[in-house]
Amino acid sequence: MTLTEPARPNEGGKPAFLPSDVDPTVFDEAFLRQLERLLLLMRAPVRGGLKGGRRSVKRGQSVEFADYRDYSLGDDLRQLDWNVYARLERLFVKLFVEEEDVTVTFLVDASASMTSGTPPKLLFAKRAAAALGYIGLASEDRVAVSVLGGRTARRRPALRGSGRVFRLLSNLSAIAPADGSTDLLATARRAAAMLTGRGVLVLISDLLDPNAERVIRELAGTSAELIILHVLSPDELDPKLEGDVRLVDSETGDGIDVTIDLATIDAYKARLAAWQAGFAELAAKRRASYVPVSSDVPLAELVFAELRRRRVIG
């Protein structure tokens, strides 16, 4: 079954969508039921345009009581609390939590460097966006995907409701790696310009770009709450190279000859750790969530262990 092919529902009525060359235990019915109980967390209440599944800073109509305020002329008499009036002989109006919608936008880095690794980083990015996107759809959030490639960002129309999961999968399946080099900063700026209102912004990238720090700063400066999934392949985290090799840039084609020994590997890992620590520090200063992850990590571990531990979802 391919990523875009609609699956037949299981006996429980839930679709079991199995992307091609994905571990078949990832998107089975039980996994979907677990995802439906989760929510992408936000640090602050939101102001949305339409009613949805998020708490708003406004007060309105819902089933969840929030507070009281003094009655004012013209208030709806149906919201008066007569029990309180009987005790205090004062009129109070009941306030309820207003629930409004949020847009969760996934920025998927489709630069040529994302095709490297086993499994490829771009495939992992699609899987992660599919799982987190389903959480958003099941929570009645709006879910949108923007593809970062070349010098532009291609945004798909926002979706809402768990019934649109196959459209989300189709959008993700259609993502192809960009030809040539990608300007991550220019594409991220283009994607940020298309954001409307507050929401959640999930950047999934290997951040192999000289302007990666500026990308984080500018995305964190939007009205959305930023989550960064920093995806690297196992070979990038723990290279198995030795001897004389030629390293070639996947985007520019430029190469460099190096001799790799134990000292070279140790120096590489030290610089890699410092590089990731720099991103983590920058994200913390900008009130963003930074999650480094290997492309071979099972999705269940990413979602139910790592992201919950970091309070990205709950």
Side-chain angles (χ1 to χ4, degrees):
M1 180 181 298
T2 66
L3 186 64
T4 58
E5 181 180 355
R8 291 176 297 177
N10 288 329
E11 292 180 1
K14 301 292 183 183
F17 51 95
L18 303 176
S20 58
D21 62 10
V22 173
D23 182 351
T25 64
V26 170
F27 291 107
D28 61 13
E29 182 181 357
F31 186 71
L32 287 180
R33 285 201 301 266
Q34 290 176 307
L35 293 180
E36 288 174 351
R37 294 196 291 266
L38 300 176
L39 183 71
L40 286 164
L41 299 179
M42 298 188 69
R43 292 186 175 88
V46 298
R47 295 182 185 272
L50 301 173
K51 290 189 176 181
R54 297 278 180 166
R55 289 177 175 233
S56 170
V57 293
K58 298 190 296 183
R59 296 290 184 260
Q61 299 292 326
S62 77
V63 296
E64 185 173 354
F65 173 76
D67 200 355
Y68 290 105
R69 67 167 172 80
D70 290 331
Y71 170 78
S72 298
L73 185 64
D75 284 339
D76 188 346
L77 297 179
R78 293 172 297 179
Q79 301 304 322
L80 291 176
D81 192 318
W82 297 106
N83 292 326
V84 173
Y85 176 77
R87 295 196 305 270
L88 304 178
E89 295 187 353
R90 290 183 58 188
L91 292 174
F92 288 93
V93 174
K94 293 181 288 185
L95 302 177
F96 297 88
V97 173
E98 181 81 6
E99 295 181 343
E100 301 191 359
D101 71 322
V102 161
T103 298
V104 181
T105 304
F106 293 92
L107 304 186
V108 179
D109 182 357
S111 58
S113 65
M114 289 289 288
T115 62
S116 65
T118 305
K121 291 177 287 184
L122 182 56
L123 177 59
F124 178 88
K126 294 180 184 183
R127 296 177 184 176
L132 298 180
Y134 186 78
I135 292 174
L137 292 176
S139 304
E140 293 300 321
D141 293 333
R142 295 185 183 277
V143 174
V145 175
S146 286
V147 184
L148 309 184
R151 295 188 57 85
T152 187
R154 300 179 301 280
R155 179 182 170 94
R156 307 294 191 269
L159 307 172
R160 186 173 181 180
S162 56
R164 305 303 302 278
V165 62
F166 293 119
R167 172 56 58 185
L168 172 64
L169 294 179
S170 178
N171 291 343
L172 291 170
S173 178
I175 297 176
D179 294 328
S181 61
T182 290
D183 188 332
L184 192 62
L185 180 59
T187 58
R189 282 175 173 170
R190 173 62 177 164
M194 292 184 280
L195 297 176
T196 56
R198 291 193 59 228
V200 179
L201 189 58
V202 184
L203 172 64
I204 310 178
S205 171
D206 57 13
L207 298 179
L208 293 176
D209 188 283
N211 291 313
E213 290 191 357
R214 291 184 62 187
V215 170
I216 293 174
R217 290 192 187 94
E218 296 201 13
L219 292 180
T222 66
S223 58
E225 296 192 8
L226 177 62
I227 300 168
I228 306 155
L229 294 187
H230 187 189
V231 184
L232 295 175
S233 69
D235 289 338
E236 290 168 333
L237 294 169
D238 187 17
K240 304 301 183 183
L241 302 175
E242 60 179 352
D244 296 330
V245 298
R246 182 172 180 80
L247 303 178
V248 179
D249 189 304
S250 59
E251 296 190 22
T252 66
D254 296 336
I256 182 173
D257 296 318
V258 297
T259 299
I260 298 180
D261 53 19
L262 291 179
T264 305
I265 294 296
D266 289 342
Y268 169 83
K269 289 184 177 180
R271 293 188 64 179
L272 173 63
W275 184 56
Q276 292 178 311
F279 287 135
E281 181 179 0
L282 174 61
K285 289 180 179 178
R286 301 288 174 160
R287 295 181 57 81
S289 298
Y290 172 75
V291 184
V293 61
S294 175
S295 64
D296 65 346
V297 169
L299 273 189
E301 181 178 334
L302 172 68
V303 173
F304 300 114
E306 190 66 15
L307 295 184
R308 295 190 76 172
R309 181 178 69 83
R310 295 176 180 270
R311 300 293 297 162
V312 172
I313 63 175

